[in-house]
Amino acid sequence: KIPYVMANLAYACITQELYDEAVEICLKALNIHEHNPYAWANLGCAFTHLHDYQKAYNALNKALEIENSILPALTTLCGVCLKLGKFDEGNMAAQSALQINPQDADTMYNFAKCKYAQYKLVDASGLLRKAIGINPNDSKFLNLLGCIIAKEWRVPDYSWQR
């Protein structure tokens, strides 16, 4: 039970933006019980916030290897795969996450970013429109949708004239 309590403590550190502390707690929890998927998932989330995407990728995959239905691990893995250029793997993580929670707007956003990076603009646009339907006030959804619409219509970039 102690490693799971430690994983919860690490999650609390993550919510307080104490990422280095979260890493330290997760590593201690994993030293006690190396098959704790929540410690691995929290470790991956902490590494993501620390911008160490390869370590995040490894930790998240370890969490999902132990338990493949941890929604935060899948959602975070999608974003990490985007940073690492592993778009197909990011798409698969997002699809798995949406099977668990079809109304997760943040997963739809990460999924849309993967599709956008692959120039699959229609798919990305559809995902973002669903996300906006769930959470219409999130500006990141609207900003990415604007980028997609601009690419779809091939609007020229006049920013150099400013």
Side-chain angles (χ1 to χ4, degrees), residues 98 108 111-112 115 122-132:
L98 289 173
M108 289 177 197
F111 197 2
K115 294 291 188 180
V122 173
D123 293 344
S125 176
L127 287 161
L128 281 170
R129 291 173 197 278
K130 287 180 187 177
I132 291 167

Side-chain angles (χ1 to χ4, degrees), residues 127-152:
L127 287 161
L128 281 170
R129 291 173 197 278
K130 287 180 187 177
I132 291 167
I134 295 166
N135 189 354
N137 297 322
D138 196 324
S139 62
K140 70 183 178 192
F141 301 159
L142 297 170
N143 288 338
L144 185 56
L145 184 59
C147 291
I148 291 168
I149 290 169
K151 278 197 186 260
E152 285 177 334

Side-chain angles (χ1 to χ4, degrees), residues 2-14:
I2 290 174
Y4 287 90
V5 171
M6 292 173 79
N8 288 337
L9 179 59
Y11 177 77
C13 288
I14 292 167

Side-chain angles (χ1 to χ4, degrees), residues 96-128:
S96 296
L98 289 173
Q99 287 177 348
I100 296 167
N101 182 359
Q103 298 298 310
D104 188 342
D106 286 325
T107 298
M108 289 177 197
Y109 173 73
N110 282 338
F111 197 2
K113 286 183 0 183
C114 282
K115 294 291 188 180
Y116 177 75
Q118 294 175 295
Y119 295 98
K120 296 180 179 178
L121 303 179
V122 173
D123 293 344
S125 176
L127 287 161
L128 281 170

Side-chain angles (χ1 to χ4, degrees), residues 32-109:
I32 296 168
H33 179 44
E34 69 177 303
H35 297 290
N36 181 337
Y38 302 100
W40 283 111
N42 288 334
L43 183 62
C45 289
F47 279 137
T48 300
H49 287 290
L50 292 170
H51 306 285
D52 192 335
Y53 300 114
Q54 189 59 53
K55 286 183 181 177
Y57 175 82
N58 294 340
L60 293 165
N61 274 308
K62 183 67 175 176
L64 294 167
E65 180 182 304
I66 297 166
E67 186 174 323
N68 67 358
S69 63
I70 301 173
L71 184 60
L74 288 165
T75 299
T76 305
L77 182 61
C78 178
V80 167
C81 286
L82 178 65
K83 295 287 187 181
L84 295 175
K86 298 177 183 234
F87 305 124
D88 290 335
E89 194 171 341
N91 290 338
M92 289 188 300
Q95 288 171 334
S96 296
L98 289 173
Q99 287 177 348
I100 296 167
N101 182 359
Q103 298 298 310
D104 188 342
D106 286 325
T107 298
M108 289 177 197
Y109 173 73

